[in-house]
């Protein structure tokens, strides 16, 4: 960490001014080498200076340079920010000059990493910042900013407080068994608290599922046998919503054909439509591909043809629908030949919609159904109190599972000091989320709350 | 005349250190201010208790004396926490304050290679930062290779009662006036600590009829793994309970300024877990009463120790306070309570071997290292004695890990976190307490004791046989099962019916099923000692928890395996917080694990350090 890093802090191509940020012990001297205006090495901290970036004697850009000296900076190191005015090409040229003079291009999130390693921000904040940087939509940004506010930290601290109270009481009971006046923790004290903690963790997990949808979007697999209108449906969806991405590889082996945004939420459409359909064997491969796509989806759009009778292949695919599914009876503008009554016995009729891809309004039915199924109203109105990333949610899920184990243990074990081991593990696991240590805190709590000793 | 090892101080640390040293073949001299006070118990008349009782067992497993000596001299024995799990059970004895020192002195006197001398040590002879000998108050010099300081509360000791302060050790003994100043001159950091002791009451002046009685257990037990019980159940002496009340609290509150502590006469830092009654009343003002224990000090004299009532009030106020207590309205105080201040070194200046970092061949153990308690002192004394001997043999020191022994936790805490108050061992200090049980101290540590040479062949063979028996019995339970045809037996065992065959092993995992129950209902003929059965039952019943603990311990091992070079320059690491850097430089942690336990060091400091250490390794 003793090298000096640089990166363009503003989004490229957005806005007229770009900011280049430099951090590290040589940041001021390096910038000074290519700056003409004043000697930056002699100026006070947290000041802004007008001048030019020069290459030998050639002026590259007219700039404002902010000097922020350690430790009151984002990374706790010396930080210099250069406001460039000359558009993207010039900004890139300045960047290049800085690198020539000893800077290294920063890895993604490296400024934040330094802020964390230098003790400027805690783990939760660091992670929230990195989420913020990577957010694409307005909603994601809302979510990321909430994370920094520390709602999660506060809740975790609160829950740990509850647990540590029981733990330190048990510890006192262990270390001072002869004191009869000290409250003796009972199994019920634990039994009463477990559901409360569980419920809070469940809320976080639910919130995560929702925010996950916000970050990653909903993966939707459009399946159906050939010729039922999958491609038209896909294209109509993409057309209407002006797909923001096309043909990019998804996180899975599937190809995300396109991503659309409905009410601010990303819908990743997974293609199975392109599977060809001439020979029998290939037909079969089509089914396999569809199954694979279904496995990787959050939602299945099962397309059937209103104009044809239900085939064995349809039935086979319907049986395989393992995720929430909207059954789309396509081509409702043509004569109804499909008899679904007997086959759809076990399926929620609410999730069957009848459309065609000729009329734009018909497509809205699909979108509305998606919104309804995934409770968009709830997601969008959620205040996202508890924002978590993958690492945090894993610890929370682990804590949740430990609570389930503890609940089981409570039924046939009544040795409090053993149950305390489980409580401590939960307490520690929750502590990992906010990066707090164990023992000191415990002892302080112990002696703050109990009066014991010779 | 040259000695291999000189031990300065004849308390619990000094006794263990001298015994370990002389038993390992070193020519040893024990210097004490007063031979009559060897292995004295100036504070409470008890040995053991939660965590401390496990320390005593560990001392015994390694070949120390405290366990055996307690077995020879107690007047009451109890197993504590029997209603809780096996990890927190511990023995506590009321030791007889006459018999305990007497037995210890007998042992010391009969030990080969060990001489005892009455004298006060004034200074150390140090050349090139290495011990050469000691200087007595008389000016006499005695040379030696290693010095172990176990001076207890005697360094510059002051006894405080009310506004009075006078230089004195416990019992009005002479304090060591010059040694701590001379240690400071040698470059050691000295801190001032404080502790206290409650009044002693004449037995026949107490109205025991109105007090709750606490008896010893009805089962014969021993601290030591090697001897049979030496006492009779019916000979045990009871303790009694009483409580403070509103009137007591009123007296204390009205006279607070008169106490040494609240009158501002004390400079040393006292222990949180051992507060004076003034402290308890002030800090826990909402508590209506505080529990007190009346413990007999000896069967040979009449003093009753009033545990929980330590104070530094003047004598007249102490009289008032004591007389306000139920059952003690007419009590006669035989010895008044007092606070005692003393010098101690900063334990951060020693290595985990208990050798000083600044002066080679100087070891310290017990209260001089900032601890409190007989057991903590004895444990360190034993380790100092062992490591001094190993040093003379040019061998690696014995450093027990946190997952191996409470002794390991104790010493690691001292050398890693230091202490600003007298340090007491608590179960809550041990992360792996399920592994550090009182019942398995021998399994954890006897091998060490044998290798070092403090456990002889006979004791070792006995231990080996126990291990073998444990294995046999475990296998027996694994290899024998109940079939579905025997569901009538299952019913008798009062457990849920089985659908498939079930081994005794799995059966024992069920709640309510014990080895004893299996023996009775299945008519098993298990010819094993209770110790063995207990061991097997615990390891089966708590298998899940034990596995968890072992997994946790593995994580520790990983951090401990990343070594920090002794000459590591923390200035090279530019992004460590300055507080952490100072701590690292002072403590010089040996591993990343130790570094992570230093207080005031944040996870991010450790992250940075870890990155650096990896980089060094690659280069």
């Amino acid at each position: 960490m003793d090298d000096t890093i640089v990166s363009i802090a503003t989004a490229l191509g957005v806005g007229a001014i770009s900011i280049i940020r430099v951090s590290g012990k040589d940041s001021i001297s390096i910038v000074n080498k290519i700056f003409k205006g004043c000697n930056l090495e002699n100026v006070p901290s947290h000041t802004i200076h007008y001048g030019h970036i020069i290459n030998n004697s050639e002026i590259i850009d007219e700039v404002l340079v902010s000097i922020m000296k350690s430790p009151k900076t984002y990374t706790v190191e010396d930080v210099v920010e250069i406001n460039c005015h000359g558009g993207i090409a010039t900004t890139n040229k300045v960047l290049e000059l800085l690198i020539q003079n000893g800077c290294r291009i920063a890895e993604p999130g490296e400024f934040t990493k330094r802020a964390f390693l230098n003790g400027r921000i805690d783990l939760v904040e660091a992670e929230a910042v990195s989420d913020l940087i990577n957010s694409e939509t307005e909603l994601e940004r809302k979510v990321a900013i909430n994370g920094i506010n520390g709602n999660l930290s506060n809740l975790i601290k609160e829950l740990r407080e509850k647990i540590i109270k029981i733990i330190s009481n048990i510890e006192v009971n262990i270390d001072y068994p002869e004191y009869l006046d000290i409250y003796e923790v009972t199994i019920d004290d634990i039994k009463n608290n477990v559901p409360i903690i569980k419920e809070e963790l469940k809320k976080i997990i639910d919130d995560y599922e929702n925010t996950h949808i916000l970050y990653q979007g909903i993966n939707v697999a459009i399946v159906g046998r050939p010729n039922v209108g999958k491609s038209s449906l896909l294209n109509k969806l993409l057309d209407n919503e002006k797909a923001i991405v096309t043909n990019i590889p998804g996180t899975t082996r599937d190809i995300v054909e396109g991503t659309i945004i409905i009410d601010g939420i990303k819908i990743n459409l997974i293609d199975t439509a392109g599977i060809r359909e001439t020979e029998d064997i290939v037909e079969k491969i089509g089914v396999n591909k569809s199954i694979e796509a279904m496995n990787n989806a959050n939602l299945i759009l099962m397309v059937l043809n209103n104009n044809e009778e239900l085939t064995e292949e349809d039935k086979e695919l319907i049986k395989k629908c393992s995720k929430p599914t909207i059954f789309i009876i396509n081509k409702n503008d043509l004569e109804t030949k499909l008899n679904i009554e007997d086959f759809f016995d076990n399926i929620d009729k609410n999730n069957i919609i009848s459309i065609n891809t000729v009329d734009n309004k018909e497509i809205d039915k699909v979108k509305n159904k998606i919104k309804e199924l995934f409770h968009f109203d709830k997601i969008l109105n959620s205040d996202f109190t508890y924002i978590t990333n993958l690492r945090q949610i894993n610890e929370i899920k682990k804590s949740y599972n430990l609570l389930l184990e503890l609940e089981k243990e409570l039924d046939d074990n009544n040795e409090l000091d053993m149950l305390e081991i489980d409580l401590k593990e939960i307490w520690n696991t929750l502590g990992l989320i906010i990066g707090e240590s164990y023992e000191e805190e415990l002892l302080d709590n112990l002696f703050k709350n109990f009066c014991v000793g010779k | 005349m040259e000695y291999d090892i000189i031990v300065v101080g004849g308390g619990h640390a000094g006794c263990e250190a001298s015994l370990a040293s002389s038993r390992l073949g070193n020519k040893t001299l024990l210097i004490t201010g007063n031979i009559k006070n060897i292995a004295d118990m100036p504070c409470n008349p008890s040995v053991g208790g939660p965590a401390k009782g496990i320390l005593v067992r560990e001392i015994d497993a390694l070949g120390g004396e405290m366990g055996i000596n307690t077995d020879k001299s107690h007047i009451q024995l109890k197993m504590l926490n029997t209603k809780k799990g096996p990890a927190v059970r511990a023995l506590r004895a009321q030791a007889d304050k006459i018999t305990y020192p007497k037995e210890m002195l007998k042992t010391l006197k009969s030990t080969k290679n060990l001489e005892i001398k009455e004298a006060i040590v004034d200074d150390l002879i140090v050349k090139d930062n290495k011990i050469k000998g000691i200087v007595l108050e008389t000016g006499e010099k005695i040379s030696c290779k290693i010095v172990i300081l176990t001076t207890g509360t005697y360094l510059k000791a002051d006894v405080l009662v009310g506004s009075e302060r006078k230089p004195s050790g416990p019992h009005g003994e002479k304090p060591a006036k010059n040694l701590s100043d001379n240690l400071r001159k040698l470059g050691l950091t000295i801190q001032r600590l404080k502790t206290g002791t409650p009044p002693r009451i004449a037995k026949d002046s107490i109205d025991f009829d109105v007090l709750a009685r606490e008896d010893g257990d009805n089962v014969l037990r021993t601290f030591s793994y090697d001897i049979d019980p030496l006492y009779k159940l019916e000979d045990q002496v009871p303790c009694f309970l009483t409580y403070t009340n509103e009137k007591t609290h009123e007296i204390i509150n009205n006279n607070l300024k008169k106490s040494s502590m609240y009158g501002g006469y004390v400079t040393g830092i006292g222990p949180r877990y051992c507060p004076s009654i003034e402290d308890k009343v002030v800090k826990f003002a909402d508590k209506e009463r505080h529990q007190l224990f009346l413990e007999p000090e000896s069967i040979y004299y009449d003093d009753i120790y009033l545990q929980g009532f330590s104070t530094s009030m003047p004598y007249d106020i102490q009289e008032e306070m004591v007389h306000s207590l139920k059952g003690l309205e007419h009590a006669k105080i035989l010895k008044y309570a007092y606070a005692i201040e003393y010098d101690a070194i900063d334990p951060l200046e020693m290595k985990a071997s208990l050798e000083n970092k600044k002066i080679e061949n100087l070891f310290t153990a017990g209260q001089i290292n900032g601890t409190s308690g007989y057991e903590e002192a004895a444990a360190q004394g034993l380790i100092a004695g062992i490591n001094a001997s190993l040093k003379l043999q040019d061998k690696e020191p014995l450093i027990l890990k946190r997952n191996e022994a409470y002794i390991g936790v104790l010493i690691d805490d001292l050398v890693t976190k230091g202490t600003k108050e007298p340090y007491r061992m608590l179960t809550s200090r041990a992360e792996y307490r399920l592994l550090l049980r009182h019942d398995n101290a021998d399994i954890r540590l006897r091998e060490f004791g044998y290798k070092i040479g403090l456990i002889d062949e006979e004791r070792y063979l006995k231990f080996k046989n126990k291990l073998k028996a444990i294995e046999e019995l475990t296998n027996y339970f694994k290899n024998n099962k109940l079939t579905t045809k025997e569901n009538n037996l299952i019913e008798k065992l009062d457990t849920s019916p089985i659908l498939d065959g079930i081994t005794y092993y799995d059966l024992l995992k069920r709640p309510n099923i014990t080895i004893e129950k299996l023996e009775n209902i299945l008519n098993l003929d298990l010819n094993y000692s209770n110790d063995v059965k207990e061991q097997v039952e615990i390891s089966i019943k708590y298998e899940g928890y034990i596995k968890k603990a072992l997994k946790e311990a593995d994580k520790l091992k990983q951090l401990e395996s990343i070594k920090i070079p002794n000459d590591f320059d923390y200035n090279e690491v530019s992004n460590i917080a300055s507080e952490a850097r100072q701590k690292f430089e002072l403590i010089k942690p040996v591993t990343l694990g130790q570094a992570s336990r230093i207080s005031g060091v944040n996870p991010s400091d450790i992250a940075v350090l870890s990155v650096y250490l990896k980089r060094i390794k690659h280069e």
Side-chain angles (χ1 to χ4, degrees):
Chain A
M1 291 217 322
D2 28 71
D3 44 3
T4 299
I5 53 172
V6 61
S7 80
I8 299 174
T10 43
L12 278 173
V14 180
I17 300 171
S18 351
I19 298 173
I20 293 178
R21 181 181 290 149
V22 189
S23 176
K25 64 177 183 338
D26 299 324
S27 48
I28 298 174
S29 63
I30 292 175
V31 175
N32 199 37
K33 280 191 233 171
I34 60 165
F35 180 78
K36 197 180 165 191
C38 64
N39 186 351
L40 295 174
E41 298 201 56
N42 291 336
V43 302
S45 184
H46 294 79
T47 51
I48 298 178
H49 307 275
Y50 169 80
H52 294 92
I53 296 293
I54 50 162
N55 182 18
N56 298 322
S57 54
E58 179 197 355
I59 291 176
I60 305 296
D61 197 4
E62 182 183 17
V63 294
L64 285 173
V65 174
S66 314
I67 300 291
M68 289 158 281
K69 289 184 187 166
S70 172
K72 282 188 181 167
T73 70
Y74 180 60
T75 57
V76 192
E77 304 168 332
D78 287 347
V79 170
V80 180
E81 284 180 2
I82 308 171
N83 290 33
C84 304
H85 300 82
I88 189 63
T90 329
T91 306
N92 275 337
K93 180 74 192 162
V94 176
L95 185 69
E96 201 185 318
L97 275 174
L98 286 167
I99 293 167
Q100 279 167 14
N101 281 284
C103 286
R104 169 172 68 73
I105 195 98
E107 291 158 22
E110 198 174 0
F111 288 94
T112 304
K113 186 177 158 199
R114 288 190 173 194
F116 165 67
L117 286 178
N118 290 330
R120 166 80 164 67
I121 52 175
D122 72 19
L123 215 51
V124 173
E125 289 174 324
E127 285 165 342
V129 171
S130 101
D131 287 346
L132 179 63
I133 291 165
N134 294 323
S135 62
E136 280 173 17
T137 68
E138 193 47 43
L139 262 171
E140 287 176 7
R141 233 183 297 280
K142 177 176 162 191
V143 163
I145 289 167
N146 259 330
I148 302 175
N149 290 344
N151 285 332
L152 177 68
S153 302
N154 288 340
L155 176 71
I156 297 294
K157 278 176 192 157
E158 213 175 279
L159 294 181
R160 289 178 91 233
E161 187 67 26
K162 268 194 179 58
I163 299 173
I164 198 69
K165 262 197 187 147
I166 303 176
I167 291 178
S168 53
N169 199 153
I170 294 176
E171 299 273 346
V172 164
N173 293 152
I174 291 168
D175 274 321
Y176 298 92
E178 68 273 30
Y179 281 79
L180 308 177
D181 269 4
I182 294 176
Y183 177 72
E184 182 99 22
V185 177
T186 66
I187 296 284
D188 284 340
D189 293 323
I190 303 180
K191 277 190 180 157
N192 293 339
N193 271 292
V194 165
I196 300 173
I197 301 167
K198 243 178 67 186
E199 198 183 310
E200 295 290 346
L201 293 185
K202 185 74 176 67
K203 267 191 225 157
I204 304 177
I205 295 171
D206 284 348
D207 255 14
Y208 173 76
E209 305 294 343
N210 286 341
T211 47
H212 188 74
I213 285 175
L214 276 183
Y215 276 87
Q216 313 290 338
I218 302 169
N219 289 339
V220 178
I222 306 177
V223 301
R225 66 181 165 82
N227 277 332
V228 293
K230 286 178 306 211
S231 304
S232 335
L233 177 61
L234 174 72
N235 291 331
K236 208 77 192 174
L237 282 168
L238 290 176
D239 265 3
N240 280 14
E241 295 297 333
K242 274 204 178 133
I244 56 167
V245 195
T246 48
N247 283 326
I248 58 151
T251 47
T252 66
R253 279 177 300 162
D254 300 289
I255 299 297
V256 174
E257 186 63 25
T259 295
I260 59 174
I261 294 183
I262 302 179
D263 291 355
I265 292 176
K266 284 189 278 191
I267 309 287
N268 307 312
L269 298 165
I270 301 169
D271 174 39
T272 63
I275 299 157
R276 286 307 60 158
E277 46 218 42
T278 44
E279 302 290 325
D280 279 353
I281 288 174
V282 185
E283 294 258 358
K284 216 169 171 202
I285 296 170
V287 175
N288 289 339
K289 272 274 181 191
S290 300
I291 290 166
E292 219 177 282
M294 288 195 276
N295 285 337
N296 293 321
N298 308 105
L299 172 70
I300 297 164
L301 299 183
M302 173 76 215
V303 186
L304 299 162
N305 186 349
N306 181 53
N307 194 230
E308 286 174 355
E309 286 186 27
L310 206 62
T311 67
E312 282 309 309
E313 203 186 342
D314 286 331
K315 290 180 190 171
E316 199 56 37
L317 276 173
I318 291 168
K319 269 193 233 161
K320 297 258 158 68
C321 289
S322 52
K323 298 281 170 67
T325 305
I326 300 175
F327 295 92
I328 297 176
I329 318 285
N330 193 18
K331 307 190 188 181
N332 67 0
D333 50 330
L334 302 179
E335 186 194 343
T336 301
K337 289 182 183 165
L338 186 74
N339 187 358
I340 55 168
E341 289 306 319
D342 27 314
F343 199 79
F344 280 80
D345 264 2
N346 303 325
I347 286 164
D348 186 353
K349 296 263 184 324
N350 263 328
N351 291 340
I352 304 170
I353 52 174
S354 156
I355 64 155
N356 65 67
T357 49
V358 182
D359 188 346
N360 278 344
K361 277 187 190 152
E362 293 286 300
I363 291 298
D364 286 345
K365 286 189 191 165
V366 180
K367 289 191 246 166
N368 289 336
K369 193 46 94 180
I370 294 176
K371 287 203 243 176
E372 182 191 318
L373 261 181
F374 281 82
H375 305 287
F376 273 29
D377 48 341
K378 252 199 200 157
I379 297 177
L380 296 170
N381 292 321
S382 159
D383 49 6
F384 296 107
T385 321
Y386 309 125
I387 304 311
T388 44
N389 59 25
L390 195 60
R391 183 189 74 82
Q392 293 161 349
I393 200 68
N394 279 340
E395 302 294 354
I396 285 171
K397 282 182 178 167
K398 197 174 150 201
S399 307
Y400 188 78
N401 289 333
L402 286 169
L403 278 165
L404 294 180
E405 270 177 47
L406 172 60
E407 246 177 1
K408 245 194 317 190
E409 202 64 45
L410 279 168
D411 288 336
D412 46 56
N413 188 339
N414 51 14
E415 284 160 351
L416 280 155
D417 62 298
M418 303 302 276
L419 298 171
E420 193 216 337
I421 295 175
D422 291 321
L423 280 174
K424 254 189 205 163
E425 197 180 356
I426 295 166
W427 192 77
N428 273 330
T429 310
L430 290 174
L432 287 177
I433 298 167
I434 49 177
E436 279 183 13
S437 72
Y438 158 63
E439 210 200 11
E440 295 298 306
E441 209 176 320
L442 175 69
L443 288 179
D444 286 346
N445 197 298
L446 203 146
F447 292 115
K448 208 167 61 199
N449 295 319
F450 298 96
C451 177
V452 284
K454 65 177 181 177
Chain B
M1 176 65 126
E2 180 176 299
Y3 291 91
D4 292 321
I5 294 172
I6 292 179
V7 178
V8 183
H12 303 283
C15 289
E16 295 290 349
S18 325
L19 286 171
S21 161
S22 51
R23 282 169 176 166
L24 292 174
N26 302 296
K27 195 169 164 45
T28 307
L29 177 66
L30 169 60
I31 301 180
T32 168
N34 185 345
I35 289 187
K36 281 192 210 120
N37 281 337
I38 278 188
D40 179 36
M41 305 185 134
C43 208
N44 56 327
S46 73
V47 171
K52 286 163 167 272
I54 304 180
L55 277 176
V56 178
R57 286 236 151 177
E58 291 177 354
I59 291 168
D60 187 71
L62 286 169
E65 198 61 26
M66 185 171 242
I68 294 172
N69 207 60
T70 307
D71 286 332
K72 286 178 187 167
S73 59
H74 65 76
I75 52 179
Q76 191 202 87
L77 192 64
K78 250 183 165 172
M79 181 70 87
L80 300 176
N81 288 331
T82 46
K83 285 191 186 125
K84 304 186 179 92
V88 297
R89 278 170 220 157
L91 282 172
R92 181 181 193 273
Q94 292 300 137
D96 190 294
K97 284 197 178 183
I98 297 288
T99 322
Y100 188 96
K102 203 173 99 190
E103 290 295 336
M104 186 60 87
L105 187 60
K106 226 197 270 177
T107 306
L108 291 168
K109 281 186 167 166
S110 63
T111 302
K112 265 204 302 193
N113 303 322
L114 178 60
E115 282 175 51
I116 306 173
K117 184 181 177 77
E118 241 178 38
I120 298 282
V121 174
D122 249 16
D123 203 355
L124 303 176
I125 306 170
V126 177
K127 215 174 157 189
D128 300 330
N129 291 323
K130 198 170 175 178
I131 285 287
K132 294 292 168 197
I134 50 135
V135 185
L136 300 182
E137 206 179 30
T138 57
E140 185 188 344
K141 290 177 182 173
I142 309 174
S143 48
C144 64
K145 292 171 187 149
I146 285 183
V147 169
I148 304 176
L149 291 180
T150 57
T151 50
T153 57
Y154 280 83
L155 286 186
K156 264 203 174 174
D158 280 336
V159 162
L160 296 114
V161 179
S163 59
E164 274 178 53
R165 165 193 288 268
K166 63 171 186 206
S168 167
H171 308 308
E173 287 293 326
K174 241 174 109 174
K177 277 184 286 188
N178 301 322
L179 186 54
S180 63
D181 284 342
N182 286 325
L183 291 175
R184 192 179 272 128
K185 276 182 206 154
L186 288 166
L188 270 54
T189 308
I190 303 292
Q191 57 176 338
R192 193 102 177 125
L193 298 176
K194 180 219 123 187
T195 186
T197 192
R200 283 30 168 205
I201 314 291
K203 190 171 160 188
D204 55 12
S205 70
I206 299 170
D207 184 4
F208 288 110
D209 292 343
V210 299
L211 301 178
R213 180 179 161 133
E214 299 253 294
D215 284 304
D217 280 353
N218 266 322
V219 185
L220 288 169
R221 293 192 173 93
T222 58
F223 268 106
S224 174
Y225 288 99
D226 303 305
I227 61 175
D228 293 324
L230 302 167
Y231 64 108
K232 291 191 190 124
L233 288 176
E234 62 273 22
D235 288 347
Q236 294 186 91
V237 179
C239 296
F240 292 86
L241 290 184
T242 190
Y243 296 91
T244 60
N245 52 46
E246 252 176 62
K247 198 175 162 208
T248 325
H249 296 190
E250 199 187 309
I251 298 168
I252 293 172
N253 281 321
N254 288 342
N255 293 286
L256 264 187
K257 283 278 172 254
K258 293 183 186 164
S259 91
S260 316
M261 198 63 199
Y262 285 86
Y265 306 108
V266 171
T267 52
I269 299 168
R272 277 181 297 185
Y273 46 79
C274 202
S276 63
I277 191 72
E278 295 94 289
D279 261 356
K280 292 187 199 175
V281 169
V282 171
K283 289 188 184 151
F284 297 88
D286 55 330
K287 276 199 83 176
E288 287 165 14
R289 61 180 200 175
H290 296 278
Q291 191 176 339
L292 306 174
F293 303 85
L294 289 89
E295 304 177 17
E297 292 208 333
S298 170
I299 52 173
Y300 301 105
Y301 63 93
D302 276 349
D303 289 25
I304 300 290
Y305 181 92
L306 189 54
Q307 206 226 117
F309 212 61
S310 126
T311 177
S312 56
M313 287 284 193
Y315 294 159
D316 55 329
I317 309 297
Q318 289 194 30
E319 291 279 354
E320 263 188 76
M321 283 160 60
V322 168
H323 292 148
S324 72
L325 301 170
K326 187 180 170 191
L328 278 79
E329 291 87 351
H330 308 290
K332 195 176 152 215
I333 300 181
L334 295 175
K335 281 184 203 128
Y336 289 96
Y338 60 87
I340 186 164
E341 262 187 24
Y342 55 98
D343 280 355
I345 65 155
D346 180 354
L348 291 178
E349 291 183 354
M350 64 183 185
K351 303 177 192 169
S353 63
L354 300 184
E355 186 180 5
N356 197 275
K357 287 177 188 167
K358 294 180 173 167
I359 302 172
E360 198 184 344
N361 289 346
L362 173 64
F363 289 72
T364 47
Q367 276 166 305
I368 189 175
N369 285 344
T371 60
S372 143
Y374 310 144
E375 303 82 355
E376 289 85 345
Q380 292 168 71
L382 174 64
I383 297 297
I386 289 173
N387 283 336
S389 306
L390 291 172
K391 177 106 202 247
L392 291 179
Q393 296 166 32
D394 257 337
K395 286 185 185 159
E396 286 294 309
L398 173 70
I399 293 167
L400 297 169
K401 297 192 190 74
R402 297 184 75 89
N403 57 330
E404 285 172 340
Y406 271 91
I407 299 178
V409 175
L410 166 71
I411 295 176
D412 182 67
D413 277 352
L414 287 177
V415 303
T416 305
K417 296 178 179 161
T419 187
K420 294 281 167 231
E421 62 178 346
Y423 176 104
R424 175 191 163 146
M425 197 68 241
L426 297 162
T427 45
S428 43
R429 297 193 196 269
E431 305 87 329
Y432 313 105
R433 64 167 191 240
L434 189 56
L435 306 178
L436 309 183
R437 302 188 308 270
H438 103 111
D439 59 84
N440 70 355
D442 55 343
I443 298 174
R444 290 183 276 127
L445 302 173
R446 193 127 269 202
E447 201 69 45
F448 291 117
Y450 175 68
K451 275 194 187 133
I452 287 159
L454 287 174
I455 296 296
D456 61 23
E457 290 296 337
E458 191 193 332
R459 288 163 91 184
Y460 186 61
L461 190 69
K462 195 177 156 194
F463 164 67
K464 279 295 200 189
N465 287 336
K466 181 177 169 186
L467 288 188
K468 214 160 83 191
I470 289 169
E471 198 189 331
E472 264 176 37
L473 186 58
T474 309
N475 284 335
Y476 170 81
F477 287 134
K478 277 185 180 163
N479 295 331
N480 286 280
K481 54 165 67 177
L482 282 182
T483 64
T484 41
K485 285 178 198 154
E486 290 160 300
N487 254 327
N488 61 321
L489 288 175
I490 290 282
E491 213 168 287
K492 274 192 192 166
L493 284 167
D494 191 23
T495 179
S496 44
I498 51 171
L499 303 169
D500 270 320
I502 183 168
T503 59
Y504 294 168
Y505 190 93
D506 286 335
L507 210 47
L508 277 166
K509 282 194 189 301
R510 295 187 171 187
N512 303 328
I513 303 288
T514 60
I515 291 182
E516 195 187 348
K517 208 168 179 183
L518 283 188
E519 278 182 287
N520 291 338
I521 296 189
L522 307 182
N523 273 323
L524 307 179
D525 183 22
L526 302 176
N527 195 14
Y528 293 95
S529 72
N530 286 335
D531 266 7
V532 170
K533 286 180 198 164
E534 183 191 24
Q535 215 38 240
V536 172
E537 188 168 303
I538 290 172
S539 51
I540 295 175
K541 273 219 168 319
Y542 301 97
E543 196 184 16
Y545 278 107
I546 292 172
K547 273 190 182 155
K548 237 185 214 181
L550 288 170
K551 224 172 98 188
E552 285 298 311
D554 273 344
K555 280 191 210 159
L556 170 82
K557 271 186 210 155
Q558 258 175 23
L559 274 180
E560 292 295 334
S561 71
I562 304 171
K563 301 266 186 263
I564 305 175
N566 194 32
D567 55 354
F568 188 77
D569 182 4
Y570 291 95
N571 287 316
E572 289 282 305
V573 195
S574 49
N575 293 303
I576 297 179
S578 63
E579 186 194 353
R581 188 195 312 275
Q582 281 166 14
K583 290 259 173 81
F584 287 149
E585 274 164 1
L586 172 69
I587 296 162
K588 292 204 184 309
V590 182
T591 65
L592 195 61
Q594 193 191 352
S596 72
R597 290 190 294 275
I598 296 172
S599 54
V601 170
N602 292 316
S604 56
D605 298 319
I606 296 302
V608 173
L609 187 58
S610 138
V611 170
Y612 251 81
L613 289 168
K614 268 184 213 148
R615 197 188 287 175
I616 293 176
K617 219 176 157 192
H618 285 302
E619 285 167 4

